[in-house]
Amino acid sequence: MNEGVYGFVSIDLPPLLAGTLACVTCAILGNYLVLRRMSLMGDAISHSVLPGLVIAFMLSGSRDPLPMFVGATIAGLFTVGLVELLRRYARVEPGAAMGVVFSVMFAMGVLLLERGAGRQVDLDADCVLNGVMETMIWFPPEEAGSLARWSTWVSLPRQVWTLGVVLLVVLAAVGMLFKELRIVAFDPGLATSQGFHAGLLNTLLMVLVACATVASFEAVGSILVIAMLICPAASARMLTDRLWVQVVLSVVLAAAAGITGYLLGAYAPTLLGLPAAVSASGMITVVAGVIMLLSVLFAPSHGTVARRFRRVRMSLRVAREDLLASLYRAEESGAAARAVASRPVDAIVLRRAIARGQVRLANGVPALTDRGRDVARGIVRSHRLWESYLVERGGLAPDHVHGTAMRLEHLTDSASGARFEPPQPDSPTDPHARPIPPR
Amino acid sequence: MNASRIRPDAHPASMLAGRPEHSADSPLSVHAMTVAYQRKPVLWDVDYDAPRDALVAIVGPNGAGKSTFIRACLGLVPRVSGVVEFWGRPLREVRRRIGYVPQREAVDWDFPVSALDVVCMGRYARIGWMRPVSRADRDAGAACLDRVGLRGFEHRQISQLSGGQQQRVFLARALAQESDLYFMDEPFAGVDAATERAIVDVLRELRASGRTVICVHHDLQTVPRYFDAVMLMNMRVVASGPVGTVFTPENLQRTYGGRLTLLAEASEAVARAERG
Amino acid sequence: MMAVLAAILDSFGGRAGHNTAVVLAGTMLLGVAAGVVGVFAMLRRRSLMADALSHATLPGICLAFLLATAVGSDGRSLAVLLPGAAATGVAGLLIVNWLTRATRISEDAAIGAVLSVFFGVGVVLLSVIQALPTGNQGGLKGLLFGQTATMHAADAMLLGVVAIASIIAVTLAFKQLGLVAFNDEFASAIGVPVRAIDLLLMSLVVMVTVSGLVAVGLVLVVAMLIIPAAAARLWTDRLRTMAVLAAVFGGTASCLGVLASSRLDRTPTGPSIVLAAGCIFLLGMIGAPRRGVVAGLGRQALVAARVHADHALRSLLASPQDPRPIGVVLPPGLIGRLARARLRRLGLVRVNGSMIVLTPEGEAEARLAERRRRLWERYLVTHAEVAPSHVDISADAIEHVVDPEIVARLEAELAADDARRVRGGADA
């Protein structure tokens, strides 16, 4: 193996794998937490598994994954149970209940660590937050082709294997219980009444979150766990309206964040001339945050930019229609068209109307083209129909309906694009005795 | 020990002397059901037998425990005491024969599922644990959407439906459950006229095929027109039975107290029902 | 006061001195302020916002440190770090607000995302600082978990000043804060500037959180806002009492935490304070009479037992002399046993092996219970509009809850009913 490649494989590959696996595992489960508005339960669990881990270590005296898992899972379930107990029987507000439980549990964990247990576990409060990604090293045999042998991969650091197994378990559980988890998240009452006990499935989800947390914890730290439980799922939520698409997208985004974040953390500082690498788990979190920010801003239909754009386009359309209608009314009454471009936005509206061939300028004064007149007639017709409707059916006074009709005349069916029209009134004119134009 | 752990339905022990003999074919019989929040009862010693093949309205003032009654029957809220039987059997034996339509506000309509997904949820009990939703189930779901007049809306995300359409999706889901007894919590709340007609049609169709539907209903005016039987409720059952004999101004007064506007409205409705 | 504190510290055998006493005083005052501010934050359902805020301070702290070091001043002085902390903390809060308002992301996810991402940025900056040749991040690490041992008297004075200012602000705006927390629409209808009051509340939260970083550390500072307030909530339903209690709890927890941390080795202050607060909360959770978990569970079991005991009496009254199997009149399990114990304690039944029978007193009580039941029933249908809010399952007599005059009238109506029934029976 060439030296550079070996360096990468031995120093970068294990943390890269561990980081990516942790990201993906947490992201899958995060979808359900985010949808059920229980994101902060993930936060609470990932803080409060700490005393579970430490106590399990103190009792078993070893760093075997199994006791650690059991301890942490018990601590996680204890947290969930305690929060529920406080909420239900002590009537503590849910946010406060979570805050009380997780901060006390975390404080207990930190104290236990600092006061001795930490020495033997070689965990300290700092690595609880940040993980030990940087210290994960792997020494596969150096000869070429060793990576093609299974036995080489078996010697990967324990954290990577643990994460791999947990990911498989999570995948299996979510794959087999996809429909059950979905119905419980959407409508727990219906789920329970159909025999899919909401409490049971909820507990299962919490057990999975606790397992994912523990497995990721050691490798990447609790902050990255919280970020990965929330950010990829929330980003995917912005991008789609299908649950399975959301789950798949969250996995892709999480993997992307894991890989990019790690590589940025490991190599970017050197490129920038800084002396050493920066925290990889911190960098992955930052990348996940950036991905979330981008999807919040630029998601095609739910993003804030798209929404703002639609709102602007809508108000431009309304302004253009108002312009056409006012030109139509001016023609109708024989009055000369006024110069309409008094505000900058009016100039834009006028230009757009000209571009659509609905208005032309005659000696600097706007006038309707034939095509524009057709559209304008539709708008004015709709306006006057609405006025009649509001007076005849709604029982409103004729001088009170203009404003409402001004809004209603712009309504169109989202599918066909056709303008809504209320039923034809009894009289051929509107309440102000103006004719209702034909269609 | 938690009082909610006690499952009164599992223990005929708490059946009391003087309990009327329930016929095994009453779709729902409730006896001595009490639900309490701390010391405040929400339902107190409720006894009720639902008629067969009927549309039943549960009527009562706000806070009378109507929704709680439905939820307690389905085991969704813990009971302090009481026995609930369906066709003479406990809930867990007949779960599949019972459908439930919660209030529309009870769920998050921004949830990433399509209308068809929601309807198919009605078949999950039939499909069973860990099996995927099959093509046949999806076809059945689409047929139910068609029955409530929502053909072509299968793949709409549910937030893109109007309030009335959402309620119809819930109704289609209930149809997909193919149950013998339905509980519906305010199916007519905040729907447009078209949806109201669609719901009434579906309810009548269900009754015609021998199903019983128990609805929490808030509009006294329409009770005589839409329902066969009524249960007047204010923490206890004030009166229950066929609309013609039970839905009277006196009983409504006993249910609602001195709320005169309501009474006027109701007696008008009663009078109209008697005329036509 | 300092002398007293120093004396307390001495009695604990700690290495007390003027400095420690000042630190203790400052931290206690901060605990008091956090308790009081926390009450309003909790009632306004903003508890976990403070969590996002406190985690979001880390990048600000690091940036301030980097900037200060770059211009050659001491990056570890609080006067430099705290403004930086407040800046990014507030930025985090604003982002949470924006995400919740302008997108489909719910508040919990927004809080979690901001909390973790900002902290992640901070962690990256920390590792950059660590890598710098001039970097000395010892002082910064202390801010993660709190370290009063390294705190100077001047820092503690700063804490004290912030705390006293917050307490004064809360006292002055107490009525408005309470009103907005209770019912913001009503508050705005009667002309209370809701936005301004909210802004005041959030600024207080920011001030307390940021200065609390020094004592408790940014990971756990949110506990100082939440736990004393939640503990006070367990004991009382009155706002004023709640604020006073939260202040006492906050002060006590800080005091105990600082003492433990200064007396014991390797005991960071933050977790000690939080654990002390947790113990105070636990006491309330177990012991509080109305909202305690134990009281809640116990009351629920007792209500159930009572309902079943009443049912049993009614069922036995059907044939008062005949013993019946226990299993028929009472459910098995704890509730049944409680109900049986209640009946026996009151001398209402005799239990013979597996059979149960009414005593004469029991028969009388059963008739009384039946009457009570009919009175309630009658009350419900004659006073339908108010009755449901009065019904009390565990009141021994309807008179305790309902106006005696009404009860007298109900009694008379019942008697008339009975008389009518008897006459009707005679006619037939």
Side-chain angles (χ1 to χ4, degrees):
Chain A
M1 223 185 290
N2 120 5
E3 202 169 310
V5 172
Y6 187 79
F8 179 84
V9 166
S10 119
I11 296 174
D12 288 324
L13 192 61
L16 185 60
L17 277 175
T20 312
L21 287 172
C23 290
V24 169
T25 313
C26 293
I28 295 175
L29 296 172
N31 283 295
Y32 296 95
L33 294 180
V34 167
L35 281 175
R36 305 186 63 179
R37 321 222 150 161
M38 286 174 40
S39 318
L40 291 172
M41 202 49 124
D43 179 10
I45 290 180
S46 60
H47 276 92
S48 48
V49 293
L50 181 61
L53 280 178
V54 179
I55 292 173
F57 170 75
M58 281 163 40
L59 291 181
S60 74
S62 74
R63 288 190 68 177
D64 274 351
L66 194 64
M68 299 283 234
F69 261 96
V70 173
T73 310
I74 291 174
L77 286 180
F78 179 72
T79 305
V80 176
L82 205 57
V83 169
E84 192 55 27
L85 198 70
L86 285 182
R87 219 167 53 76
R88 194 175 297 171
Y89 292 103
R91 283 174 284 155
V92 179
E93 188 241 316
M98 263 189 274
V100 170
V101 176
F102 87 75
S103 56
V104 172
M105 297 274 283
F106 193 68
M108 207 152 65
V110 173
L111 271 189
L112 283 173
L113 273 182
E114 295 282 330
R115 291 193 51 74
R119 308 270 135 119
Q120 302 129 344
V121 209
D122 66 20
L123 261 175
D124 64 18
D126 196 32
C127 94
V128 165
L129 290 173
N130 303 329
V132 292
M133 278 176 96
E134 283 78 3
T135 61
M136 252 184 251
I137 302 178
W138 177 39
F139 297 109
E142 288 191 36
E143 83 267 22
S146 70
L147 289 183
R149 284 200 305 274
W150 174 247
S151 57
T152 314
W153 292 98
V154 174
S155 69
L156 265 173
R158 182 178 51 77
Q159 291 96 329
V160 177
W161 277 111
T162 318
L163 275 165
V165 171
V166 171
L167 175 59
L168 283 183
V169 170
V170 166
L171 275 178
V174 171
M176 284 192 298
L177 294 171
F178 187 77
K179 117 177 160 298
E180 285 80 2
L181 288 171
R182 174 162 71 180
I183 188 173
V184 163
F186 178 63
D187 191 344
L190 178 81
T192 305
S193 79
Q194 291 216 4
F196 303 104
H197 198 279
L200 184 73
L201 282 160
N202 196 19
T203 311
L204 177 76
L205 181 63
M206 291 304 151
V207 170
L208 289 177
V209 170
C211 288
T213 306
V214 187
S216 319
F217 210 74
E218 235 193 314
V220 301
S222 65
I223 286 302
L224 181 55
V225 171
I226 300 169
M228 281 306 154
L229 282 172
I230 300 173
C231 294
S235 316
R237 176 113 182 74
M238 297 301 299
L239 298 169
T240 174
D241 284 329
R242 283 282 180 283
L243 183 55
W244 70 268
V245 182
Q246 183 185 318
V247 173
V248 171
L249 266 178
S250 72
V251 166
V252 173
L253 294 178
I259 295 168
T260 332
Y262 179 80
L263 294 179
L264 272 179
Y267 293 104
T270 337
L271 296 179
L272 291 174
L274 284 167
V278 300
S279 158
S281 58
M283 209 61 209
I284 297 177
T285 311
V286 174
V287 173
V290 170
I291 290 179
M292 180 166 161
L293 183 68
L294 291 178
S295 51
V296 164
L297 289 175
F298 302 116
S301 66
H302 300 292
T304 52
V305 170
R307 278 191 188 177
R308 176 61 58 85
F309 179 73
R310 276 200 304 271
R311 210 169 305 146
V312 167
R313 213 175 49 178
M314 176 72 183
S315 60
L316 282 177
R317 179 171 76 88
V318 167
R320 182 169 48 78
E321 292 187 352
D322 285 346
L323 170 71
L324 294 179
S326 76
L327 290 173
Y328 183 88
R329 291 197 182 94
E331 277 186 1
E332 202 179 38
S333 62
R338 286 162 295 142
V340 278
S342 56
R343 292 171 303 163
V345 62
D346 292 332
I348 298 173
V349 170
L350 181 59
R351 218 173 307 134
R352 285 172 68 94
I354 294 171
R356 283 166 177 252
Q358 293 169 332
V359 171
R360 66 193 157 75
L361 284 179
N363 305 326
V365 179
L368 288 173
T369 61
D370 287 345
R371 193 192 299 175
R373 196 168 296 111
D374 285 343
V375 176
R377 193 184 312 114
I379 298 162
V380 172
R381 172 181 159 80
S382 166
H383 179 94
R384 292 183 181 161
L385 280 174
W386 276 116
E387 284 195 336
S388 303
Y389 181 79
L390 288 169
V391 170
E392 283 180 14
R393 308 286 169 86
L396 296 175
D399 52 343
H400 276 84
V401 293
H402 180 74
T404 314
M406 277 306 267
R407 285 197 301 280
L408 294 173
E409 71 190 25
H410 301 292
L411 287 182
T412 52
D413 185 64
S414 55
S416 67
R419 202 169 295 280
F420 277 128
E421 281 187 1
Q424 189 81 29
D426 307 329
S427 76
T429 60
D430 76 352
H432 308 287
R434 284 175 309 222
I436 293 172
R439 201 181 293 267
Chain B
M1 175 78 191
N2 178 339
S4 66
R5 296 275 163 71
I6 308 267
R7 308 191 51 140
D9 54 349
H11 307 298
S14 57
M15 291 182 196
L16 309 174
R19 182 184 170 190
E21 276 305 309
H22 296 299
S23 72
D25 44 71
S26 170
L28 166 70
S29 64
V30 175
H31 188 65
M33 178 156 82
T34 298
V35 176
Y37 177 62
Q38 304 282 353
R39 285 164 49 176
K40 290 242 15 109
V42 186
L43 296 171
W44 199 4
D45 269 353
V46 169
D47 291 291
Y48 181 66
D49 278 283
R52 293 182 58 204
D53 312 349
L55 303 179
V56 184
I58 302 180
V59 172
N62 286 334
K66 293 166 293 184
S67 297
T68 308
F69 174 73
I70 288 188
R71 294 177 61 79
C73 287
L74 290 167
L76 299 177
V77 292
R79 305 193 284 272
V80 172
S81 74
V83 187
V84 177
E85 283 174 351
F86 303 89
W87 303 281
R89 313 222 314 255
L91 174 65
R92 73 193 125 71
E93 288 177 21
V94 292
R95 202 155 239 155
R96 259 186 224 178
R97 296 176 61 191
I98 300 168
Y100 173 46
V101 180
Q103 283 184 21
R104 187 149 49 87
E105 298 84 59
V107 303
D108 170 15
W109 286 96
D110 201 20
F111 200 85
V113 285
S114 66
L116 185 59
D117 289 336
V118 174
V119 174
C120 288
M121 285 180 189
R123 304 190 64 82
Y124 281 10
R126 207 165 287 274
I127 298 169
W129 283 88
M130 295 200 254
R131 296 220 186 81
V133 181
S134 69
R135 167 55 65 81
D137 291 311
R138 298 184 74 80
D139 289 346
C144 293
L145 268 178
D146 193 20
R147 275 170 75 186
V148 298
L150 287 180
R151 180 201 287 267
F153 287 82
E154 286 85 356
H155 301 293
R156 264 309 162 94
Q157 204 256 330
I158 50 174
S159 66
Q160 293 163 7
L161 300 171
S162 73
Q165 289 169 337
Q166 290 174 348
Q167 190 66 58
R168 278 191 263 171
V169 168
F170 262 11
L171 201 66
R173 185 175 74 178
L175 292 176
Q177 280 185 271
E178 293 178 16
S179 305
D180 296 321
L181 168 67
Y182 287 100
F183 289 99
M184 303 192 181
D185 202 343
E186 303 241 2
F188 294 101
V191 301
D192 53 282
T195 302
E196 183 151 341
R197 269 196 306 280
I199 297 176
V200 171
D201 287 347
V202 168
L203 292 185
R204 297 206 168 129
E205 212 176 297
L206 286 171
R207 176 182 53 191
S209 58
R211 270 71 182 249
T212 298
V213 183
I214 300 177
C215 288
V216 172
H217 193 64
H218 64 286
D219 182 11
L220 291 177
Q221 305 253 22
T222 52
V223 168
R225 251 191 296 144
Y226 293 169
F227 294 96
D228 313 315
V230 64
M231 168 188 188
L232 294 170
M233 169 171 224
N234 189 11
M235 189 180 295
R236 302 179 50 99
V237 179
V238 177
S240 69
V243 170
T245 55
V246 170
F247 197 67
T248 61
E250 301 81 65
N251 278 337
L252 286 168
Q253 163 121 42
R254 283 150 57 86
T255 314
Y256 285 88
R259 287 171 201 170
L260 291 174
T261 47
L262 266 176
L263 281 179
E265 210 176 277
S267 37
E268 189 190 315
V270 173
R272 207 178 318 118
E274 278 165 1
R275 275 201 307 273
Chain C
M1 185 182 175
M2 296 301 151
V4 178
L5 287 172
I8 296 176
L9 284 176
D10 281 338
S11 71
F12 273 83
R15 284 140 282 171
H18 176 69
N19 195 49
T20 326
V22 176
V23 167
L24 181 55
T27 317
M28 270 182 74
L29 274 175
L30 192 74
V32 171
V36 178
V37 172
V39 165
F40 294 100
M42 179 182 75
L43 292 179
R44 196 106 177 86
R45 303 189 167 249
R46 300 278 157 84
S47 302
L48 286 174
M49 284 272 201
D51 203 17
L53 165 72
S54 64
H55 281 79
T57 55
L58 185 59
I61 292 170
C62 298
L63 285 175
F65 177 87
L66 282 172
L67 271 178
T69 321
V71 299
S73 63
D74 178 14
R76 278 174 298 163
S77 103
L78 290 185
V80 171
L81 297 182
L82 295 193
T88 50
V90 170
L93 276 188
L94 293 177
I95 294 183
V96 170
N97 254 329
W98 170 68
L99 284 177
T100 330
R101 210 168 21 83
T103 72
R104 66 189 335 194
I105 291 172
S106 56
E107 189 183 35
D108 59 312
I111 289 179
V114 165
L115 176 159
S116 52
V117 172
F118 270 68
F119 197 83
V121 175
V123 167
V124 169
L125 289 173
L126 265 186
S127 61
V128 169
I129 292 174
Q130 204 162 20
L132 290 178
T134 54
N136 177 352
Q137 52 156 336
L140 300 188
K141 278 275 158 87
L143 289 176
L144 283 186
F145 292 110
Q147 199 47 274
T148 44
T150 57
M151 210 154 119
H152 303 298
D155 299 338
M157 295 284 193
L158 181 72
L159 291 198
V161 171
V162 168
I164 289 172
S166 317
I167 295 168
I168 291 175
V170 170
T171 320
L172 290 180
F174 193 86
K175 259 205 317 280
Q176 286 80 358
L177 281 168
L179 199 56
V180 169
F182 171 63
N183 185 343
D184 53 354
E185 283 174 7
F186 174 70
S188 105
I190 63 167
V192 174
V194 173
R195 289 181 69 94
I197 294 293
D198 262 342
L199 197 66
L200 171 70
L201 179 59
M202 279 335 272
S203 342
L204 288 173
V205 170
V206 171
M207 267 167 51
V208 171
T209 310
V210 169
S211 41
L213 296 181
V214 192
V216 196
L218 61 79
V219 181
L220 287 170
V221 66
V222 65
M224 277 184 92
L225 282 162
I226 295 179
I227 302 180
R233 184 83 188 90
L234 293 175
W235 292 98
T236 177
D237 288 328
R238 302 174 68 95
L239 184 57
R240 202 167 289 273
T241 324
M242 209 184 301
V244 172
L245 273 180
V248 172
F249 291 161
T252 315
S254 305
C255 176
L256 293 175
V258 172
L259 287 178
S261 161
S262 69
R263 196 171 120 71
L264 306 168
D265 285 337
R266 302 197 312 269
T267 309
T269 323
S272 319
I273 294 180
V274 174
L275 223 50
C279 292
I280 293 174
F281 184 86
L282 192 67
L283 286 181
M285 187 176 127
I286 293 170
R290 277 170 48 73
R291 284 172 174 260
V293 168
V294 174
L297 285 173
R299 195 164 35 235
Q300 194 158 5
L302 287 179
V303 167
R306 199 186 161 104
V307 167
H308 282 284
D310 275 1
H311 283 168
L313 283 179
R314 261 162 66 204
S315 129
L316 287 169
L317 191 60
S319 50
Q321 318 303 332
D322 305 335
R324 311 258 307 268
I326 292 178
V328 172
V329 290
L330 284 169
L334 178 72
I335 301 297
R337 282 206 300 282
L338 280 175
R340 189 166 74 186
R342 177 188 164 82
L343 291 171
R344 290 181 69 174
R345 197 182 63 239
L346 298 173
L348 305 178
V349 297
R350 264 195 320 273
V351 174
N352 240 336
S354 65
M355 304 299 273
I356 188 168
V357 65
L358 283 178
T359 62
E361 297 82 35
E363 194 180 332
E365 172 65 24
R367 293 195 192 287
L368 208 65
E370 187 57 31
R371 176 144 204 93
R372 206 158 58 214
R373 208 178 115 79
R374 290 184 55 200
L375 274 177
W376 275 122
E377 212 162 36
R378 179 127 206 129
Y379 180 57
L380 269 169
V381 296
T382 50
H383 295 76
E385 66 276 26
V386 290
S389 58
H390 287 171
V391 174
D392 186 322
I393 249 180
S394 52
D396 277 310
I398 183 170
E399 290 88 346
H400 294 176
V401 191
V402 176
D403 187 25
E405 243 174 75
I406 295 179
V407 175
R409 201 163 61 234
L410 294 173
E411 295 262 19
E413 286 170 9
L414 270 190
D417 272 4
D418 288 347
R420 212 174 302 135
R421 195 173 306 145
V422 170
R423 249 201 330 277
D427 290 348

